[in-house]
Amino acid sequence: MKKYLFLVIALVVTSFSNAQNSDKAKALLDDVYAKVSGYENIFVDFRFDLKNTEADINSETRGTVTLQGDKYLGDLFGTKQLYDGTKVYTIIPENEEVTIEDKSDDANTFTPTKMLTFYKEGHTYSWDILQNVQGRKIQYVKLIPIDSNTEIKSILMGIDIETKHIYKIIETGKNGTTTTITVNSFKTDQPLSKTLFTFDEAKYKDEGYYIIRN
């Protein structure tokens, strides 16, 4: 009887602890969201790593993205992508090509704006490890997608405890692929050109770019 009682107590304590950890993790993510939402604009310089040992994939590059509301201008793998609030423009200098298309309404489509907000829904949360990165305390929160059909196994988000800014996102796929985004620089409320999120079609036509409309 005593063993049974101790087992029940242990299960209750464990469940309560897990619930507390989940609430604590969710509260930290809410703090991050509130902080991010308060900025007029955000500029992020980041490192992008893609690894899959089985497929012998190991690539690393740097990218940048500027966000203002839903609009964004990103540069990754030598390709620029601009969203002006209506259309998405993918500019590939190597091919001298620009693709123009409507923004996808697919919830699974990842965009730069979602990089800072995707964790708001569709996941369970748990408190993970705390790291010291050059004097900065980085608290990790683990996210598990609720949708069992997703290709994502888990996501680890490293958050700077002091600034409430995202430092690192580590996404592990069910196929063994690990994608890591590490923030090198995070700037806010920068002076931006009024035409930063405006696509100048005439300019690209003059430069000989082929314009594709989807």
Side-chain angles (χ1 to χ4, degrees):
M1 182 66 181
K2 285 183 178 180
K3 287 184 179 180
Y4 177 75
L5 181 60
F6 284 134
L7 178 60
V8 171
I9 293 172
L11 288 172
V12 170
V13 170
T14 300
S15 298
F16 180 69
S17 177
N18 288 340
Q20 280 188 316
N21 284 338
S22 177
D23 290 343
K24 188 164 59 171
K26 180 65 164 54
L28 179 58
L29 293 177
D30 285 341
D31 287 343
V32 172
Y33 181 75
K35 193 73 177 286
V36 167
S37 300
Y39 296 126
E40 180 68 24
N41 60 65
I42 296 170
F43 170 81
V44 182
D45 178 292
F46 60 92
R47 189 176 77 239
F48 182 92
D49 298 292
L50 183 67
K51 295 182 181 179
N52 186 313
T53 304
E54 187 175 330
D56 195 26
I57 297 173
N58 188 359
S59 68
E60 177 182 322
T61 189
R62 290 185 67 168
T64 62
V65 62
T66 302
L67 307 103
Q68 185 174 56
D70 287 335
K71 299 177 182 179
Y72 61 80
L73 174 62
D75 191 335
L76 184 65
F77 292 115
T79 296
K80 291 184 178 181
Q81 191 170 81
L82 167 69
Y83 177 56
D84 62 5
T86 305
K87 299 284 186 180
V88 177
Y89 306 85
T90 303
I91 305 160
I92 309 175
E94 184 179 356
N95 299 341
E96 294 188 334
E97 178 181 288
V98 178
T99 301
I100 305 174
E101 54 194 336
D102 292 328
K103 181 184 177 184
S104 173
D105 292 326
D106 186 352
N108 295 318
T109 301
F110 191 81
T111 66
T113 50
K114 286 184 180 180
M115 184 175 81
L116 301 175
T117 60
F118 73 91
Y119 51 84
K120 282 292 291 178
E121 56 186 24
H123 302 86
T124 60
Y125 314 99
S126 62
W127 201 252
D128 212 270
I129 64 170
L130 176 68
Q131 284 187 339
N132 187 310
V133 180
Q134 297 179 338
R136 299 166 62 191
K137 291 183 178 180
I138 307 298
Q139 176 62 55
Y140 283 85
V141 171
K142 189 171 187 178
L143 295 82
I144 303 295
I146 294 173
D147 182 3
S148 60
N149 293 321
T150 181
E151 296 179 0
I152 300 171
K153 181 179 179 181
S154 66
I155 300 171
L156 275 171
M157 288 187 61
I159 298 163
D160 187 314
I161 291 294
E162 183 178 351
T163 63
K164 297 298 191 296
H165 291 164
I166 297 171
Y167 166 68
K168 185 175 286 190
I169 300 174
I170 305 171
E171 178 185 290
T172 302
K174 292 178 180 178
N175 64 353
T177 300
T178 300
T179 306
T180 304
I181 296 174
T182 305
V183 175
N184 298 315
S185 177
F186 191 100
K187 299 179 182 179
T188 61
D189 300 337
Q190 301 293 295
L192 302 180
S193 166
K194 292 182 179 179
T195 61
L196 183 64
F197 303 108
T198 301
F199 178 70
D200 188 345
E201 185 170 341
K203 169 195 167 187
Y204 286 98
K205 281 184 175 179
D206 289 344
E207 293 178 0
Y209 275 67
Y210 183 58
I211 309 296
I212 304 170
R213 299 180 187 275
N214 289 339

